[in-house]
């Protein structure tokens, strides 16, 4: 019987096309659609802050250079991972990550809890030549980051696009994006104050690449690396709660 | 080749190339100071160059009416050559990135484009989309016409599909080098390339359906089901996963519509099904035509092919969550993903078994004919890698394998053993038909290629199994005092010998691909020298009913 039935659809190209699309759509619909509606998918994290323009630019450099091809940012709920890297990752931590950078390969270690682990100077030296710091490393050198001036004139547009996809940047943040980027990497400059005002007192305001005078891609990337896993403390709290 | 187009088709081509050139110009002007401009210039140069080619033959006489009683194979021939060119380029970069993991200083120091992170997607896109995609398009045109006994409906749209697709690949690969990427694995190209691919893909679909509607066979042959599933589902996946908002229309950069956990699920729903419908479905289409054809035997079981087809089409779409075990993805989705991945083994092995059973009674041919042996080994590796995949999808196993080289080993068991082998086998069958020679220039070179490919695959896969499992175990081993026994660096050092072995295996495989190119080039030369030779092994468009559908 089945064979007979199938013989029939085989004679109708459009019918076959519809059948394929229909049959193939079910899985995705059932698995993906609920993720957008079910509340428990993403936890609450009232303390969550947004990426500053400089950090966002750094994140874009992280994407551009393909760091995600060697580094994950997703600590699984396994004992050895938690002990090696820190509290396991929560969904809320990448709530504002368009796109997420969970990664699928650990040629290098997981970076989900990297923020604050090393000094800025360590990162700069490591990125300039990883083998200066860790002789066995197979990570590439990234010397051009320190030579390239950071493009900042369009950061307002970047924040606006982020807002379009759902990140709650305010008008003030968008308007001051360029100034905030300069300010965050120049702690003694006139524009530094606004950064803390808009993004919170805890925001790192430093000359990340060691040179407050110029704003390089290195500034941006290190600013980003120092905030990875630090936008909210929810993961630390959750682990602490479980241990009690 | 342009002279084969009718005059109105040449006009059409010029018109489209003109529009494309304008789009390139707009990108170049609108994207000043942004990588978008670089791509604008590439598009502009590409369309002007091709425009020149068309112009130079614009006033040639109309092609003879007699062409309409033959199949239209020019695009297939060009597609084969493009596929091989991408194969060598993509695998060369593969060997390069493999070497970089063994010897990180092996690069032009401090050149951004030559760093691992930018080269790796050039490799993956180069082999999957460049090599695999072109092979799929080229063979699909061939199979579609033969099994439908119908000529492609016009001569412009197959060129639009093939060349448009290669423009996409070019934009993709050059983009990574200048730092344009969305970072989504296997969907790295940015919004404008994605939009272009949608246009090309719609044309591909329309072409396919139009040809099917003209078919003179009542039934649509199995191979076409798979090609259709490939075209349709890849379109759906591509559009959904690439939904994004560009920073402005003057920026190459865009931000994905999805974030965090929803983005992860969408990405791996895409990623896994890119594997399913690009690297599996399409190549199964290839297998279901060329393997029975070459073996001279009908498909073992029609029923099995139905079960396998609908099983794959239905179940793969549920399996993506196995890329996200133990992550922040809700547990119920992980469980669904794992369950379907396990059941998926049934239709997968149905296809692999169907292929091998088809060879029953032709084993002497497998022994003597390296072309058929390529296809046989491909079916075996298909069975193997799907078994491995289902195994790795089990949560407990995945806790070890995820993030390690084991995944990379699994990928290449599928990619080298299945995708590349079935492609090479099919191309060796197809090339003599397309250039109307009796056989390939040198069967001994095919034999050499076969052994290089097999050895390369085995070395590669074993190296990665070893390194992956060692890595996974080292990360989770505790010493007596209850602390982790190895630092990350310890595991990194332990990988070194395997990375060297992998690079060597890859080099063998690449050498095989180069041997293939030489053989194909010599076959084409041979064909040029002996234009008079009669077509061998090909099916005539009319007459000889019954010989048309392999396996029916
Ligand atoms: C000459 C042979 C090849 C060599 C030496 C090679 C080498 C590599 C290397 C070194 C990587 C990166 C692994 C890592 O990041 O740890 C890789 C990734 C990959 N390659 Fe190949 N490759 C070859 C052929 C192919 C072919 C023919 C295909 C597909 C048809 C393919 C598909 C892939 C894919 C999909 C990945 C990404 C894997 C992942 O993200 O898990 N490769 N390859
Ligand atoms: C029954 C069929 C299959 C199943 C259930 C399956 C399952 C899996 C699993 C569990 C992973 C590891 C995910 C992770 O831990 O990150 C994986 C990765 C992968 N598989 Fe398969 N697999 C199957 C067949 C294939 C085939 C035939 C290919 C062909 C080339 C293939 C290509 C890949 C690729 C490219 C990845 C790497 C994705 C990435 O991380 O970048 N798979 N597969």
């Amino acid at each position: 019987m089945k064979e007979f039935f199938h013989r029939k659809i085989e004679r109708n190209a459009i019918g076959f096309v519809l059948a394929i699309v229909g049959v193939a759509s079910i899985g995705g619909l059932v698995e993906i659609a609920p993720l957008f509606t079910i509340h428990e998918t993403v936890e609450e994290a009232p303390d969550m802050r947004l990426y500053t323009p400089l950090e966002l630019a750094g994140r874009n450099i992280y994407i551009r250079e393909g760091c995600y091809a060697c580094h994950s940012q997703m600590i699984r709920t396994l004992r050895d991972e938690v002990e090696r890297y820190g509290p396991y990752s929560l969904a809320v931590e990448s709530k504002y990550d368009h796109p997420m950078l969970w990664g699928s390969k650990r040629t290098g270690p997981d970076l989900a809890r990297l923020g604050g682990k090393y000094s800025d100077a360590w990162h700069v030296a490591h990125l300039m030549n990883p083998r200066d710091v860790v002789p066995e490393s197979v990570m590439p050198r990234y010397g051009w980051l320190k030579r390239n001036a950071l493009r900042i004139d369009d950061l307002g547009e970047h924040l606006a696009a982020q807002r379009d996809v759902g990140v709650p940047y305010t008008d003030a943040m968008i308007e001051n994006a360029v100034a905030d980027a300069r300010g965050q990497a120049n702690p003694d400059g006139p524009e530094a104050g606004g950064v803390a005002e808009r993004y919170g007192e805890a925001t790192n305001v430093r000359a990340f690449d060691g040179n407050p005078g110029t704003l390089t891609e290195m500034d941006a990337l290190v600013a980003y690396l120092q905030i990875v896993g630090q936008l909210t403390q929810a993961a630390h709290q959750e682990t602490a709660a479980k241990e009690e | 080749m342009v002279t084969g187009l009718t005059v109105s088709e040449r006009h059409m081509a010029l018109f489209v190339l003109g529009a494309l050139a304008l789009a390139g110009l707009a990108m170049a002007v609108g994207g000043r100071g942004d990588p978008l401009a670089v791509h604008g210039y590439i598009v502009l140069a590409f369309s002007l160059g091709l425009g020149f080619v068309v112009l130079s033959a614009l006033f040639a006489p109309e092609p003879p009416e007699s062409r309409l009683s033959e199949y239209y194979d020019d695009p297939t021939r060009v597609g084969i050559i493009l596929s091989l060119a991408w194969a060598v380029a993509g695998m060369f970069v593969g060997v390069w990135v493999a070497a970089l993991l063994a010897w990180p200083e092996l690069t032009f120091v401090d050149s951004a484009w030559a760093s691992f992170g930018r080269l790796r997607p050039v490799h993956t896109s180069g082999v999957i989309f460049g090599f695999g995609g072109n092979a799929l398009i080229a063979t699909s045109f061939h199979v579609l016409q033969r099994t439908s006994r119908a000529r492609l409906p016009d001569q412009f749209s197959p060129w639009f599909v093939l060349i448009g697709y290669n423009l996409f690949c070019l934009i993709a690969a050059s983009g990574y080098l200048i730092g344009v990427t969305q970072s989504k694995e296997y969907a790295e190209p940015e919004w404008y390339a994605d939009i272009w691919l949608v246009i090309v893909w719609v044309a591909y679909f329309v072409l396919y359906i139009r040809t099917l509607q003209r078919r003179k066979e009542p039934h649509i042959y199995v191979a076409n089901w798979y090609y259709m599933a490939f075209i349709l589902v890849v379109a759906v996946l591509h559009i959904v996963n690439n939904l994004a908002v560009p920073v402005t229309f003057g920026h190459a950069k865009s931000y994905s519509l999805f974030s965090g956990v929803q983005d992860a699920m969408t990405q791996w729903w895409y990623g896994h099904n890119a594997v399913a419908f690009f690297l599996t479905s399409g190549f199964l289409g290839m297998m279901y035509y060329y393997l029975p054809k070459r073996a001279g035997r009908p498909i073992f079981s029609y029923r099995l092919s139905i079960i396998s087809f609908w099983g794959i089409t239905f179940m793969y779409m549920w399996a993506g969550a196995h890329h996200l075990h133990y992550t922040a993805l809700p547990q119920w989705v992980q469980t669904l993903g794992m369950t379907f991945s396990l059941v998926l083994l049934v239709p997968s092995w149905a296809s692999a078994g169907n292929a091998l059973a088809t060879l029953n009674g032709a084993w002497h041919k497998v022994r003597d004919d390296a072309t058929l042996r390529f296809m046989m080994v491909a079916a075996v590796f298909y069975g193997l890698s799907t078994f491995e995949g289902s195994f790795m999808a089990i949560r407990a196993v995945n806790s070890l394998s995820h993030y390690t080289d084991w995944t990379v080993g699994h990928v290449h068991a599928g990619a080298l053993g299945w995708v590349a082998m079935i492609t090479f086998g099919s191309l060796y069958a197809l090339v003599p038909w397309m250039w109307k020679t009796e056989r390939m220039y040198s069967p001994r070179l095919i034999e050499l290629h076969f052994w290089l490919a097999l050895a390369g695959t085995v070395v590669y896969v074993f190296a990665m199994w070893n390194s992956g499992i060692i890595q996974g175990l080292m990360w989770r081993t505790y010493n007596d005092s209850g602390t982790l026994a190895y630092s990350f660096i310890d595991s990194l050092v332990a990988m070194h010998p395997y990375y060297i072995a992998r690079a060597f295996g890859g080099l063998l495989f690449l050498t095989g691909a180069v041997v293939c190119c030489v053989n194909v080039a010599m076959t084409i030369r041979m064909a040029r020298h002996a234009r008079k030779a009669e077509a061998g092994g090909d099916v005539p468009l009319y007459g000889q009913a019954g010989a048309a559908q392999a396996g029916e």
Side-chain angles (χ1 to χ4, degrees):
Chain A
M1 274 321 287
K2 181 161 168 261
E3 193 143 345
F4 173 66
F5 166 70
H6 203 270
R7 276 291 186 189
K8 259 192 192 160
I9 30 176
E10 273 170 39
R11 283 201 292 271
N12 181 345
I14 300 291
F16 212 106
V17 164
L18 294 177
I20 292 176
V21 174
V23 167
S25 305
I26 303 170
L29 285 176
V30 172
E31 289 186 351
I32 299 180
L35 296 182
F36 287 91
T37 51
I38 299 177
H39 268 342
E40 293 87 85
T41 308
V42 181
E43 311 80 357
E44 299 281 321
D47 64 336
M48 181 104 179
R49 82 150 166 88
L50 304 178
Y51 292 113
T52 65
L54 188 66
E55 290 155 6
L56 185 68
R59 191 170 191 275
N60 289 341
I61 293 169
Y62 185 96
I63 290 174
R64 184 186 80 188
E65 301 301 344
C67 310
Y68 61 85
C70 287
H71 291 288
S72 57
Q73 291 190 19
M74 170 50 60
I75 301 170
R76 294 180 294 169
T77 52
L78 299 167
R79 179 183 158 206
D80 58 293
E81 296 217 352
V82 172
E83 282 179 22
R84 187 180 294 278
Y85 298 117
Y88 59 81
S89 303
L90 301 182
V92 66
E93 293 180 84
S94 45
K95 181 164 84 164
Y96 295 139
D97 285 5
H98 295 263
M100 56 85 204
L101 293 173
W102 293 7
S104 69
K105 180 76 203 329
R106 277 185 191 151
T107 303
D110 188 279
L111 300 182
R113 301 277 166 254
L114 183 70
K117 180 176 173 186
Y118 297 107
S119 68
D120 297 342
W122 187 92
H123 279 302
V124 174
H126 185 245
L127 287 166
M128 291 302 291
N129 181 2
R131 277 156 295 286
D132 283 350
V133 186
V134 182
E136 303 87 349
S137 183
V138 297
M139 180 164 140
R141 306 171 182 225
Y142 290 97
W144 59 90
L145 297 179
K146 197 153 181 197
R147 294 194 299 270
N148 290 357
L150 181 70
R151 178 173 178 192
I152 53 171
D153 61 303
D154 59 352
L155 280 175
E157 289 162 338
H158 279 265
L159 295 202
Q162 285 263 318
R163 186 159 74 178
D164 289 343
V165 294
V167 184
Y169 283 107
T170 62
D171 288 339
M173 289 169 168
I174 293 174
E175 269 160 37
N176 293 294
V178 176
D180 286 348
R182 276 196 302 258
Q184 195 180 355
N186 188 2
D188 303 322
E191 292 163 322
V195 182
E197 200 178 293
R198 279 179 280 275
Y199 294 91
E201 285 304 325
T203 310
N204 302 318
V205 179
R206 299 196 290 260
F208 294 95
D209 69 353
N211 179 356
T214 53
L215 193 56
T216 62
E217 295 189 337
M218 186 66 92
D219 277 312
L221 183 59
V222 174
Y224 169 67
L225 294 177
Q226 293 292 21
I227 198 69
V228 175
Q230 297 286 327
L231 292 181
T232 163
Q233 296 303 313
H236 294 270
Q237 285 150 9
E238 163 137 341
T239 322
K242 283 227 170 110
E243 274 165 9
E244 268 164 23
Chain B
M1 238 156 283
V2 182
T3 52
L5 300 180
T6 64
V7 173
S8 65
E9 282 167 340
R10 288 173 218 161
H11 290 156
M12 182 73 183
L14 273 186
F15 175 75
V16 170
L17 287 169
L20 200 60
L22 283 181
L25 192 65
M27 282 161 68
V29 174
R32 252 167 320 165
D34 194 84
L36 185 67
V38 179
H39 275 157
Y41 287 117
I42 290 180
V43 172
L44 190 63
F46 186 90
S47 33
L48 289 183
L50 277 178
F52 188 73
V53 174
V54 176
L55 265 183
S56 67
L58 189 60
F59 300 108
E62 286 267 6
E65 279 299 313
S66 63
R67 73 178 192 283
L68 295 176
S69 59
E70 287 167 14
Y71 295 120
Y72 189 47
D73 288 329
D74 282 350
T76 302
R77 282 187 273 267
V78 173
I80 293 171
I81 294 170
L82 286 169
S83 167
L84 287 174
W86 279 105
V88 172
M91 290 183 205
F92 172 76
V93 180
V95 175
W96 188 0
V97 289
L100 281 178
L101 287 179
W103 304 286
E105 291 293 328
L106 198 76
T107 197
F108 312 93
V109 174
D110 261 11
S111 290
W113 66 270
S115 76
F116 180 90
R118 294 195 185 190
L119 288 176
R120 190 185 191 272
V122 177
H123 163 59
T124 55
S125 290
V127 285
I128 300 177
F129 298 124
F131 166 53
N134 273 305
L136 286 173
I137 293 176
T139 57
S140 73
F141 289 163
H142 174 251
V143 172
L144 173 64
Q145 296 185 85
R146 289 344 184 253
T147 57
S148 307
R149 300 172 141 270
R151 183 184 159 89
L152 295 176
D154 69 314
Q155 302 173 116
F156 171 74
S157 43
W159 287 116
F160 179 77
V161 173
L162 183 73
I163 294 177
Y165 180 76
N166 278 279
L167 177 60
F168 166 80
C169 294
L170 184 68
I171 293 289
S174 60
Y176 311 144
L177 295 177
I178 56 173
V180 177
T181 170
Q182 296 192 96
S183 84
K184 294 185 154 207
E185 262 188 285
Y186 319 121
E188 291 94 345
E190 273 291 355
W191 58 276
Y192 47 96
D194 291 336
I195 293 175
W196 174 243
L197 186 64
V198 170
I199 297 172
V200 170
W201 220 247
V202 168
Y204 192 13
F205 172 69
V206 171
L207 174 63
Y208 219 87
I209 286 293
R210 278 171 72 206
T211 315
L212 280 180
Q213 298 293 34
R214 295 154 55 98
R215 74 187 182 279
K216 296 183 190 64
E217 290 289 332
H219 296 278
I220 303 173
Y221 180 60
V222 189
N224 288 318
W225 313 347
Y226 282 102
Y227 281 120
M228 271 193 321
F230 150 65
I231 298 172
L232 286 167
V233 182
V234 166
V236 174
L237 296 168
H238 172 78
I239 292 173
V240 175
N241 190 43
N242 283 306
L243 290 172
V245 173
V247 172
T248 67
F249 289 117
H251 279 82
K253 173 89 191 154
S254 69
Y255 289 106
S256 165
L257 201 55
F258 311 112
S259 71
V261 60
Q262 290 94 353
D263 185 39
M265 186 58 219
T266 311
Q267 157 59 23
W268 286 113
W269 165 81
Y270 167 90
H272 187 68
N273 291 299
V275 166
F277 290 90
F278 211 104
L279 295 179
T280 299
S281 221
F283 292 91
L284 281 173
M286 223 184 251
M287 183 186 84
Y288 271 110
Y289 182 81
Y290 294 99
L291 184 137
K293 220 39 195 173
R294 186 78 184 186
R297 301 192 49 85
I299 284 283
F300 168 67
S301 163
Y302 166 73
R303 241 168 225 278
L304 214 50
S305 55
I306 295 180
I307 296 175
S308 157
F309 177 75
W310 291 108
I312 285 179
T313 305
F314 177 66
M315 282 188 265
Y316 252 110
M317 299 300 263
W318 296 75
H322 65 220
H323 290 262
L324 299 168
H325 280 326
Y326 297 101
T327 66
L329 183 73
Q331 177 111 20
W332 63 270
V333 192
Q334 299 181 21
T335 310
L336 266 181
M338 164 170 145
T339 314
F340 274 91
S341 307
L342 289 174
V343 190
L344 196 50
L345 190 59
V346 176
S348 302
W349 275 28
S351 267
N354 213 356
L356 292 177
T358 300
L359 292 174
N360 241 344
W363 290 110
H364 60 286
K365 289 192 191 164
V366 176
R367 187 193 57 209
D368 298 335
D369 178 10
T371 303
L372 193 56
R373 218 180 308 129
F374 261 113
M375 301 187 203
M376 188 275 284
V377 170
V380 171
F381 269 102
Y382 178 63
L384 232 146
S385 55
T386 48
F387 176 78
E388 184 186 28
S390 294
F391 184 60
M392 288 165 70
I394 301 170
R395 270 166 63 89
V397 179
N398 195 263
S399 73
L400 181 86
S401 73
H402 189 58
Y403 291 138
T404 71
D405 283 327
W406 188 352
T407 306
V408 178
H410 161 69
V411 170
H412 288 85
L416 303 178
W418 157 240
V419 171
M421 295 264 197
I422 192 71
T423 304
F424 286 129
S426 303
L427 291 188
Y428 281 132
L430 180 57
V431 164
W433 296 340
M434 284 294 97
W435 274 276
K436 307 203 188 323
T437 61
E438 226 158 88
R439 54 172 179 76
M440 289 294 298
Y441 164 72
S442 163
R444 293 184 53 197
L445 284 181
I446 305 183
E447 194 72 36
L448 174 67
H449 181 190
F450 174 80
W451 291 109
L452 283 170
L454 187 62
T457 308
V458 170
V459 171
Y460 191 123
V461 172
F462 271 90
M464 289 297 100
W465 277 341
N466 271 305
S467 73
I469 292 172
I470 293 175
Q471 208 172 22
L473 289 176
M474 284 178 88
W475 290 346
R476 59 158 64 167
T477 302
Y478 285 86
N479 53 27
D480 294 339
S481 54
T483 53
L484 290 167
Y486 300 101
S487 71
F488 189 88
I489 301 298
D490 292 338
S491 72
L492 188 62
V493 173
M495 297 307 101
H496 187 64
Y498 302 109
Y499 283 171
I500 297 178
R502 184 252 304 270
F504 175 68
L507 192 62
L508 291 182
F509 202 90
L510 171 66
T511 313
V514 173
V515 169
C516 176
C517 290
V518 172
N519 208 351
V520 169
M522 294 306 287
T523 308
I524 296 174
R525 250 184 65 163
M526 194 169 85
R528 293 235 162 98
H529 283 301
R531 256 288 136 76
K532 285 157 276 152
E534 257 293 309
D538 205 355
V539 190
L541 184 51
Y542 298 111
Q544 271 193 41
Q549 293 202 12
E552 283 291 79

